Amino acid sequence: MSRLDVFIDRMVSQRACLDFAIAETAALPGPVFELGLGNGRTYHHLRERIAGRDIYVFERRIASHPDSTPSPEFTILGDVTETLPRALERFGPTASLIHADLGGHNLAKNDQFARKVSPLIEPMLAPGGIMVSSDRMYFEGLEELPLPEGAVEGRCFVYRR
Ligand SMILES: C[S@@+](CC[C@H](N)C(=O)[O-])C[C@H]1O[C@@H](n2cnc3c(N)ncnc32)[C@H](O)[C@@H]1O
Protein backbone atom coordinates (compact mmCIF):
# COMPACT_ATOMS: atom_id res chain seq x y z
CA MET A 1 0.00 0.00 0.00
CA SER A 2 1.46 3.38 -0.98
CA ARG A 3 1.54 6.44 1.26
CA LEU A 4 -0.97 7.99 -1.13
CA ASP A 5 -3.34 5.04 -0.55
CA VAL A 6 -2.98 5.42 3.23
CA PHE A 7 -3.58 9.16 3.02
CA ILE A 8 -6.71 8.73 0.89
CA ASP A 9 -8.07 6.05 3.24
CA ARG A 10 -7.47 8.39 6.18
CA MET A 11 -9.31 11.30 4.55
CA VAL A 12 -12.24 9.17 3.40
CA SER A 13 -12.48 7.61 6.87
CA GLN A 14 -12.35 10.96 8.65
CA ARG A 15 -15.24 12.24 6.57
CA ALA A 16 -17.33 9.08 7.02
CA CYS A 17 -16.73 8.98 10.79
CA LEU A 18 -17.34 12.70 11.27
CA ASP A 19 -20.57 12.62 9.24
CA PHE A 20 -21.73 9.61 11.27
CA ALA A 21 -20.85 11.31 14.58
CA ILE A 22 -22.48 14.61 13.56
CA ALA A 23 -25.75 12.82 12.70
CA GLU A 24 -25.70 10.62 15.83
CA THR A 25 -25.19 13.60 18.15
CA ALA A 26 -27.47 16.08 16.37
CA ALA A 27 -29.90 16.17 19.30
CA LEU A 28 -27.20 16.94 21.87
CA PRO A 29 -26.74 20.63 22.69
CA GLY A 30 -23.18 20.49 24.07
CA PRO A 31 -20.11 21.93 22.35
CA VAL A 32 -17.95 20.22 19.75
CA PHE A 33 -14.19 20.00 20.36
CA GLU A 34 -11.69 19.75 17.51
CA LEU A 35 -8.31 18.63 18.86
CA GLY A 36 -5.57 19.52 16.37
CA LEU A 37 -6.51 22.18 13.81
CA GLY A 38 -3.61 21.69 11.36
CA ASN A 39 -4.63 23.02 7.97
CA GLY A 40 -8.23 23.23 9.22
CA ARG A 41 -9.85 20.84 6.74
CA THR A 42 -11.74 18.76 9.29
CA TYR A 43 -12.59 21.89 11.29
CA HIS A 44 -14.06 23.42 8.12
CA HIS A 45 -16.06 20.23 7.52
CA LEU A 46 -17.47 20.36 11.06
CA ARG A 47 -18.32 24.02 10.68
CA GLU A 48 -20.10 23.40 7.36
CA ARG A 49 -22.18 20.52 8.67
CA ILE A 50 -22.99 21.42 12.26
CA ALA A 51 -25.66 23.96 13.14
CA GLY A 52 -26.55 25.23 16.59
CA ARG A 53 -23.50 23.92 18.46
CA ASP A 54 -20.34 25.81 19.40
CA ILE A 55 -17.13 24.40 17.94
CA TYR A 56 -13.94 24.95 19.98
CA VAL A 57 -10.51 24.22 18.54
CA PHE A 58 -7.53 23.07 20.58
CA GLU A 59 -4.17 23.72 18.94
CA ARG A 60 -0.59 24.45 19.91
CA ARG A 61 0.07 26.90 17.12
CA ILE A 62 -2.42 28.20 14.52
CA ALA A 63 -1.24 27.63 10.94
CA SER A 64 -4.52 26.95 9.18
CA HIS A 65 -6.00 28.08 5.89
CA PRO A 66 -7.58 31.52 6.40
CA ASP A 67 -11.02 30.11 5.53
CA SER A 68 -10.64 27.48 8.21
CA THR A 69 -9.41 29.50 11.16
CA PRO A 70 -11.67 29.77 14.21
CA SER A 71 -12.26 33.13 15.86
CA PRO A 72 -10.22 33.78 19.02
CA GLU A 73 -13.10 33.05 21.42
CA PHE A 74 -13.36 29.55 19.98
CA THR A 75 -9.61 28.91 19.94
CA ILE A 76 -7.98 27.19 22.92
CA LEU A 77 -4.26 27.65 22.43
CA GLY A 78 -1.61 25.49 24.04
CA ASP A 79 -0.60 21.89 24.50
CA VAL A 80 -3.69 19.69 24.93
CA THR A 81 -2.13 17.97 27.95
CA GLU A 82 -2.50 21.36 29.68
CA THR A 83 -5.59 22.82 27.97
CA LEU A 84 -7.83 19.73 28.26
CA PRO A 85 -7.82 19.65 32.10
CA ARG A 86 -8.58 23.38 32.15
CA ALA A 87 -11.38 22.88 29.61
CA LEU A 88 -12.88 20.16 31.82
CA GLU A 89 -13.08 22.67 34.67
CA ARG A 90 -14.67 25.21 32.33
CA PHE A 91 -17.15 23.03 30.42
CA GLY A 92 -17.65 19.97 32.61
CA PRO A 93 -18.73 16.70 30.95
CA THR A 94 -20.77 18.39 28.20
CA ALA A 95 -19.06 17.74 24.85
CA SER A 96 -21.42 16.26 22.27
CA LEU A 97 -18.63 15.42 19.82
CA ILE A 98 -14.85 15.36 20.16
CA HIS A 99 -12.61 14.86 17.12
CA ALA A 100 -8.91 14.25 17.66
CA ASP A 101 -6.38 14.30 14.83
CA LEU A 102 -3.23 15.03 16.80
CA GLY A 103 -0.79 12.52 15.32
CA GLY A 104 2.17 12.88 13.00
CA HIS A 105 4.17 10.37 10.95
CA ASN A 106 5.63 8.38 13.86
CA LEU A 107 3.06 5.68 14.67
CA ALA A 108 4.72 4.58 17.92
CA LYS A 109 4.79 8.17 19.16
CA ASN A 110 1.15 8.66 18.15
CA ASP A 111 0.18 5.57 20.15
CA GLN A 112 2.12 6.76 23.19
CA PHE A 113 0.41 10.15 22.99
CA ALA A 114 -3.04 8.56 22.56
CA ARG A 115 -2.45 6.66 25.84
CA LYS A 116 -1.52 9.92 27.54
CA VAL A 117 -4.49 12.00 26.35
CA SER A 118 -7.22 9.32 26.56
CA PRO A 119 -7.85 9.88 30.30
CA LEU A 120 -7.96 13.65 29.68
CA ILE A 121 -10.51 13.35 26.87
CA GLU A 122 -12.80 10.70 28.37
CA PRO A 123 -14.36 12.83 31.17
CA MET A 124 -15.23 15.66 28.76
CA LEU A 125 -17.87 13.71 26.80
CA ALA A 126 -21.55 14.11 27.67
CA PRO A 127 -23.69 10.97 27.97
CA GLY A 128 -24.41 9.89 24.39
CA GLY A 129 -21.48 11.97 23.13
CA ILE A 130 -19.17 10.57 20.44
CA MET A 131 -15.41 10.71 20.08
CA VAL A 132 -13.76 10.25 16.68
CA SER A 133 -10.02 9.70 16.50
CA SER A 134 -7.37 8.98 13.89
CA ASP A 135 -5.53 6.89 16.49
CA ARG A 136 -6.75 4.05 18.70
CA MET A 137 -7.63 5.48 22.08
CA TYR A 138 -7.40 3.90 25.53
CA PHE A 139 -10.68 4.63 27.32
CA GLU A 140 -11.99 2.86 30.37
CA GLY A 141 -15.71 3.59 30.09
CA LEU A 142 -16.45 4.38 26.44
CA GLU A 143 -17.81 1.88 23.96
CA GLU A 144 -15.94 1.43 20.68
CA LEU A 145 -18.47 1.53 17.83
CA PRO A 146 -18.29 -0.31 14.51
CA LEU A 147 -17.07 1.99 11.73
CA PRO A 148 -19.70 3.57 9.50
CA GLU A 149 -19.95 2.63 5.83
CA GLY A 150 -17.09 4.10 3.80
CA ALA A 151 -14.56 4.19 6.65
CA VAL A 152 -11.50 1.95 6.47
CA GLU A 153 -10.54 -0.25 9.46
CA GLY A 154 -7.55 1.13 11.34
CA ARG A 155 -7.72 4.60 9.82
CA CYS A 156 -10.36 5.96 12.20
CA PHE A 157 -11.85 4.98 15.55
CA VAL A 158 -15.26 5.89 16.99
CA TYR A 159 -16.28 5.75 20.66
CA ARG A 160 -19.48 6.59 22.55
CA ARG A 161 -20.26 7.35 26.18
C1 LIG B 1 -2.55 16.17 11.49
S1 LIG B 1 -2.75 17.81 12.03
C2 LIG B 1 -4.50 18.04 12.03
C3 LIG B 1 -5.07 18.12 10.64
C4 LIG B 1 -6.53 18.55 10.58
N1 LIG B 1 -7.41 17.48 11.03
C5 LIG B 1 -6.92 18.98 9.19
O1 LIG B 1 -7.88 18.43 8.64
O2 LIG B 1 -6.29 19.90 8.64
C6 LIG B 1 -2.33 17.70 13.71
C7 LIG B 1 -2.34 19.01 14.47
O3 LIG B 1 -2.34 18.72 15.87
C8 LIG B 1 -1.55 19.66 16.55
N2 LIG B 1 -1.05 19.05 17.79
C9 LIG B 1 -0.32 17.92 17.88
N3 LIG B 1 -0.03 17.65 19.17
C10 LIG B 1 -0.59 18.66 19.90
C11 LIG B 1 -0.63 18.95 21.29
N4 LIG B 1 0.00 18.16 22.19
N5 LIG B 1 -1.31 20.04 21.71
C12 LIG B 1 -1.94 20.84 20.80
N6 LIG B 1 -1.94 20.62 19.46
C13 LIG B 1 -1.27 19.54 19.02
C14 LIG B 1 -0.41 19.98 15.58
O4 LIG B 1 0.12 21.27 15.85
C15 LIG B 1 -1.11 19.88 14.23
O5 LIG B 1 -1.50 21.15 13.77
Side-chain angles (χ1 to χ4, degrees):
M1 214 186 195
S2 72
R3 283 183 52 219
L4 180 63
D5 292 329
V6 172
F7 179 77
I8 290 168
D9 280 354
R10 187 169 140 244
M11 296 298 108
V12 165
S13 302
Q14 274 182 344
R15 185 178 56 190
C17 291
L18 288 177
D19 286 346
F20 168 78
I22 291 166
E24 288 285 310
T25 59
L28 298 181
V32 174
F33 294 146
E34 168 81 332
L35 312 183
L37 177 65
N39 181 281
R41 288 189 192 97
T42 49
Y43 166 68
H44 191 266
H45 193 74
L46 293 170
R47 217 179 52 192
E48 289 288 303
R49 306 231 166 164
I50 291 176
R53 285 185 271 174
D54 289 335
I55 306 174
Y56 290 87
V57 172
F58 293 66
E59 175 57 71
R60 235 180 341 221
R61 189 180 57 87
I62 302 294
S64 48
H65 188 282
D67 272 359
S68 312
T69 301
S71 55
E73 67 266 36
F74 292 105
T75 304
I76 299 181
L77 264 188
D79 193 294
V80 292
T81 56
E82 291 169 10
T83 54
L84 283 170
R86 288 205 292 270
L88 180 60
E89 284 176 19
R90 176 176 168 193
F91 296 100
T94 61
S96 55
L97 197 173
I98 301 176
H99 173 232
D101 185 18
L102 292 161
H105 298 299
N106 184 329
L107 297 184
K109 238 175 143 177
N110 293 349
D111 184 61
Q112 220 176 18
F113 193 65
R115 289 176 191 270
K116 191 172 175 183
V117 292
S118 290
L120 305 179
I121 293 171
E122 185 165 352
M124 304 195 68
L125 265 191
I130 290 188
M131 200 266 154
V132 173
S133 177
S134 301
D135 295 299
R136 174 174 296 288
M137 303 302 282
Y138 296 88
F139 297 128
E140 287 190 349
L142 305 189
E143 176 196 5
E144 183 170 352
L145 301 182
L147 291 183
E149 202 184 326
V152 179
E153 289 297 332
R155 297 285 159 242
C156 210
F157 300 86
V158 184
Y159 304 88
R160 173 152 46 203
R161 177 180 293 283

